[in-house]
Amino acid sequence: MKIIICGAGQVGWQIARHLSGEFNDVSIVDNNPALVRRATDALEVQGIVGFASHPDVLEQAGAREADMIIAATHSDEVNMVTCQVAHSVFNVTRKIARLRAQSYLEPVYSDLFRRDHMPIDVVINPEQEVSRAALRRFAAPSTFDVQDFLDGSVQLAGLALDEDCPVLNTPLRQLTELFSSLRAIVVGVRRGGKLFAPEPGDQLFDGDQIYVVSEATDLARTLAIFGKPQAKQERVVIVGAGNVGLGVARALEDRKERVRVKVIERDRSRAETAADLLERTIVLHGDGMDSELLGEAAIDSADALLAVTDDDKTNLLACVRAKAMGCKMTIALVNDPSLVPLMAHLGIDAHINPRATTVSSILRHVRLGRVRSIYTIGDGEAEVIEAQVLSTSPLAGRTIANIGFPEGALVGAVKKRGEFIKPTGSTELEEGDLLVIFALRNDVPVIERLLQVAVEYF
C-alpha cells in the first residue's frame, strides 16, 4: 500500500516506523530538513522536504498513486488543506487528519467534514484520546495501563507485580488450573526492561510488569488474584484546565456515581472559563505544585491526582508532591518518552503519552483486513489487535494450536456469536469470530497477513 505521511514529528515518525516495517511504500513529508533526514536515515521511507499542503510537494511524494494520506503536522489548518488537495487534485482514496482545536469538533459543525465540503474520512483529536485514556485509568486505578476491546466487554490491563502478589513463582499453567473459571490470560511480561510473550511454564516474579487480557466482568477478580484490589475513585484532583482537564472533569460530572472533582489551574482566565463551564466541580486558581494549594484541595484524602498541564516537568513534580502529601494514586501526562523510565523511581503510578494514544488511534484506521482496533504498548514494543476472522483468512476453520502463530503472539480473547470465550489451543476459529491478539513488534506483519487476504477499507 502506498501511504503518504505529512509531518515527521514524533507522531508521524512512529506511524512511519510501524508502516514501513510492514513493507508498505511510505513517503514522509515535512518542511524541516532535519526531521526528514532523521526519518530517512532510520527508516525505509522516501523523504520529501516541503510544505505538505502544496500540490507540487504531494505530487513529488507520489500522491497520484497513493492509497492513503495521513496529515499529522502541527497545524490543524495545514492538515485540513492537505486532505482537501489530496482529494481534489489527486483523488486519494483515504484521508486521515489530526485536529487539535475543539471548535472543529463541535456537533453543530459536524457537516464540515462531509465529502462535498472538507473531505476527511477520519478525524483524530489527541485531547479526546488522552481524556478517554485518563478515564480508563480511573476505572482501574491499580493498573498502570488499561484499554478496552470488543466494545468494552474485554479489557487489557497492565499490572506492576510486587512482593505482595500472592501468585509469584507460580507457573502460568498452574494458575489456569487453580482459577479454572477465571476468564483472563497473561499475554505479555516485561522483565528487566524486555517485553516477551510468556509460555505456559513461565513463572511471574517480584518486579515484573504484566499485561492481562480479561473479560470486563472478571477484571476485579483478576486484579485481586494478582494482589491489586479494585478501589473506587470518589475524590479526584485535576491539575490543568486545558482541553484534557476540562474533558475529564466533564465526564466525571456526568457519571451516575458521585465523584467529587477539584481542578487547579495556574492561568486566571482559563480557571474562570473552567469555573463557568463546569457545574459541580470546584476550580482553584494557582500553581498545582504549591503545597498550600494542594492542601486546600484536600490532596491527603484524594483518591487520585491527574496532572495534565502542557509541561511534562510540572506534571511529574505535581504528582511527586501529591504522593508525598498522601494522595493514593497519581497519573501524569508525559509527552517526552525519555522521561517514562523515571516514573517508577518517582513513585508515580501511571502515565499517559498523548503521542502513543494518537498513534494507536491512527493505526486503527490504517491496518488491512478486518481490524477493528489497535493499541500500541510502550514505545512501539508490541501491539494488541482486535480483529474479525474473514472467510478467506488462513485462521478460518482451524484451531489456534494449528494456525502457527509466531512465538511473540498470543490470542487473549475470542468472541463467538456474541459470547466471550477464553481461548485455548483447541479453540476452533470461525468466520465472524472476533479476536484480541497480543503481538510483539516484529511479529505484527505476520499477524496482519493471517488476518487478511485482500486489501479492504471499511
Side-chain angles (χ1 to χ4, degrees):
M1 187 160 58
K2 173 65 178 177
I3 303 172
I4 299 175
I5 300 171
C6 301
Q10 286 292 333
V11 169
W13 193 90
Q14 290 286 358
I15 295 170
R17 185 180 75 172
H18 281 276
L19 298 181
S20 64
E22 295 162 18
F23 309 107
N24 293 289
D25 182 2
V26 178
S27 296
I28 193 163
V29 180
D30 202 291
N31 65 343
N32 186 327
L35 292 179
V36 173
R37 186 165 54 251
R38 182 188 70 151
T40 55
D41 287 347
L43 309 171
E44 292 292 328
V45 300
Q46 178 192 10
I48 294 92
V49 178
F51 289 94
S53 57
H54 291 185
D56 60 321
V57 174
L58 288 180
E59 183 157 27
Q60 186 183 351
R64 294 197 184 278
E65 298 80 37
D67 300 295
M68 177 182 296
I69 190 163
I70 301 170
T73 75
H74 292 294
S75 167
D76 289 356
E77 290 68 30
V78 168
N79 293 339
M80 289 191 291
V81 172
T82 298
C83 289
Q84 181 71 67
V85 172
H87 172 80
S88 301
V89 179
F90 302 106
N91 197 29
V92 177
T93 307
R94 189 87 165 156
K95 299 161 290 291
I96 300 175
R98 178 178 66 172
L99 302 181
R100 286 191 175 92
Q102 299 299 304
S103 179
Y104 292 125
L105 307 175
E106 292 292 339
V108 69
Y109 307 126
S110 59
D111 284 348
L112 176 62
F113 302 111
R114 273 177 23 196
R115 193 170 183 83
D116 55 345
H117 290 168
M118 183 73 68
I120 300 175
D121 300 292
V122 179
V123 172
I124 304 294
N125 179 260
E127 283 79 8
Q128 287 184 353
E129 298 297 329
V130 170
S131 297
R132 294 188 189 108
L135 291 167
R136 288 194 296 269
R137 295 288 195 281
F138 287 142
S142 57
T143 67
F144 65 80
D145 200 354
V146 65
Q147 178 70 23
D148 293 338
F149 291 94
L150 301 179
D151 302 318
S153 63
V154 169
Q155 290 183 305
L156 170 78
L159 307 175
L161 304 185
D162 52 38
E163 59 183 11
D164 295 328
C165 175
V167 293
L168 293 182
N169 307 312
T170 305
L172 294 178
R173 182 187 293 109
Q174 190 173 339
L175 284 182
T176 302
E177 297 169 358
L178 289 171
F179 306 101
S180 57
S181 64
L182 183 69
R183 292 167 292 185
I185 292 179
V186 178
V187 293
V189 177
R190 184 184 287 109
R191 181 177 298 153
K194 183 180 180 181
L195 184 66
F196 62 92
E199 298 285 342
D202 286 339
Q203 301 178 30
L204 301 177
F205 301 112
D206 181 13
D208 284 352
Q209 291 183 340
I210 66 170
Y211 290 89
V212 184
V213 173
S214 169
E215 187 177 24
T217 55
D218 252 10
L219 183 62
R221 184 183 171 205
T222 300
L223 296 178
I225 286 171
F226 289 102
K228 303 290 181 182
Q230 194 76 296
K232 288 186 177 181
Q233 304 296 293
E234 298 177 339
R235 295 178 176 83
V236 174
V237 177
I238 300 172
V239 178
N243 291 330
V244 174
L246 276 176
V248 173
R250 281 172 163 171
L252 292 176
E253 283 190 340
D254 291 340
R255 286 188 174 180
K256 291 181 181 178
E257 63 275 16
R258 180 68 182 272
V259 180
R260 296 187 177 124
V261 183
K262 295 177 183 177
V263 173
I264 299 174
E265 172 54 51
R266 188 172 186 172
D267 182 87
R268 177 175 288 278
S269 62
R270 191 179 293 171
E272 291 173 350
T273 300
D276 291 338
L277 293 174
L278 298 170
E279 297 179 4
R280 299 194 307 271
T281 300
I282 296 173
V283 179
L284 303 174
H285 171 235
D287 190 340
M289 293 186 294
D290 186 288
S291 298
E292 290 187 10
L293 192 59
L294 288 172
E296 186 180 341
I299 198 65
D300 59 332
S301 61
D303 296 304
L305 176 134
L306 173 67
V308 287
T309 74
D310 55 7
D311 182 76
D312 287 355
K313 294 180 179 61
T314 297
N315 295 337
L316 294 177
L317 291 173
C319 287
V320 170
R321 178 148 286 175
K323 199 78 173 182
M325 295 178 67
C327 183
K328 298 181 181 67
M329 174 190 180
T330 57
I331 305 170
L333 180 70
V334 179
N335 288 278
D336 184 354
S338 69
L339 296 175
V340 172
L342 297 175
M343 301 288 114
H345 300 293
L346 295 173
I348 297 172
D349 299 286
H351 76 280
I352 302 170
N353 185 326
R355 292 189 178 95
T357 59
T358 303
V359 169
S360 293
S361 299
I362 291 175
L363 288 175
R364 184 183 312 156
H365 300 281
V366 174
R367 298 296 191 194
L368 305 180
R370 192 63 70 177
V371 174
R372 293 159 43 102
S373 180
I374 282 178
Y375 184 65
T376 304
I377 288 178
D379 188 20
E381 300 166 274
E383 291 183 8
V384 182
I385 303 167
E386 176 188 325
Q388 186 177 31
V389 177
L390 302 174
S391 61
T392 52
S393 164
L395 303 177
R398 301 171 68 184
T399 63
I400 291 176
N402 292 328
I403 288 170
F405 283 108
E407 289 185 3
L410 283 174
V411 179
V414 177
K415 200 170 188 179
K416 285 179 173 288
R417 295 176 285 277
E419 182 182 350
F420 175 92
I421 294 176
K422 181 179 177 179
T424 65
S426 61
T427 302
E428 182 175 332
L429 302 181
E430 302 170 314
E431 177 186 357
D433 286 355
L434 300 178
L435 311 177
V436 177
I437 304 172
F438 170 93
L440 297 177
R441 179 197 303 168
N442 293 338
D443 294 316
V444 169
V446 179
I447 298 302
E448 195 170 39
R449 286 195 293 272
L450 288 171
L451 292 172
Q452 53 109 101
V453 171
V455 174
E456 290 192 22
Y457 290 112
F458 51 91

